[in-house]
Amino acid sequence: DKRVLFAGYIYGEATIELMKNAYLYIQPSDVEGHSPVVLTVMGLGTPLLCSDIMENLFVVQNTALTFARGSVASLNKQMEYALLHPVEIRKLSELGKDHVLANFNWDKTADEHVTVFLNDE
């Protein structure tokens, strides 16, 4: 399909620009820690479809589409849903953006670290 572009490796501001303007960002992690990519995509307000590994579920809560890790059928089903329901995935992305900005920002993280260190007995 001529609409599909295999761009190769993209870095820096170009990455952010692509994420910001994507119809849907897919993060198919099998194993991952607390993903900065998931946080970035959500913070940009981009609709997200990610695997249902524990680390992703912790971050997204109910604000993104998920699929069963390693399941092509589950991924396909969710991609089809996203293509057929643009309004719904846009609503999810706005909820995701609010959720990430409220719960995963540097000021909150720094404050929580200070609290832990000051309350260490």
Side-chain angles (χ1 to χ4, degrees):
D1 188 314
K2 292 179 184 178
R3 297 172 296 173
V4 176
L5 172 66
F6 292 97
Y9 293 103
I10 307 289
Y11 298 100
E13 284 300 314
T15 304
I16 299 298
E17 195 65 29
L18 286 171
M19 288 177 181
K20 190 176 186 179
N21 291 293
Y23 177 81
L24 179 69
Y25 186 92
I26 302 171
Q27 182 72 11
S29 306
D30 278 336
V31 177
E32 182 137 21
H34 196 111
S35 172
V37 173
V38 168
L39 293 172
T40 300
V41 167
M42 291 177 72
L44 291 169
T46 302
L48 173 66
L49 170 56
C50 62
S51 57
D52 65 354
I53 61 173
M54 179 178 57
E55 295 81 2
N56 288 345
L57 295 177
F58 172 77
V59 173
V60 303
Q61 301 292 312
N62 60 349
T63 66
L65 296 177
T66 61
F67 67 95
R69 175 187 160 261
S71 171
V72 173
S74 179
L75 173 59
N76 186 60
K77 180 180 175 185
Q78 290 295 62
M79 287 172 65
E80 286 180 0
Y81 177 87
L83 290 171
L84 295 172
H85 298 90
V87 173
E88 289 83 353
I89 66 163
R90 181 55 53 197
K91 286 179 186 176
L92 275 178
S93 71
E94 290 304 317
L95 290 172
K97 181 177 181 177
D98 293 344
H99 170 67
V100 163
L101 294 178
N103 295 289
F104 297 98
N105 64 66
W106 285 115
D107 290 336
K108 183 175 192 248
T109 301
D111 289 345
E112 289 173 352
H113 277 76
V114 168
T115 299
V116 167
F117 289 119
L118 292 178
N119 290 327
D120 188 32
E121 296 181 31

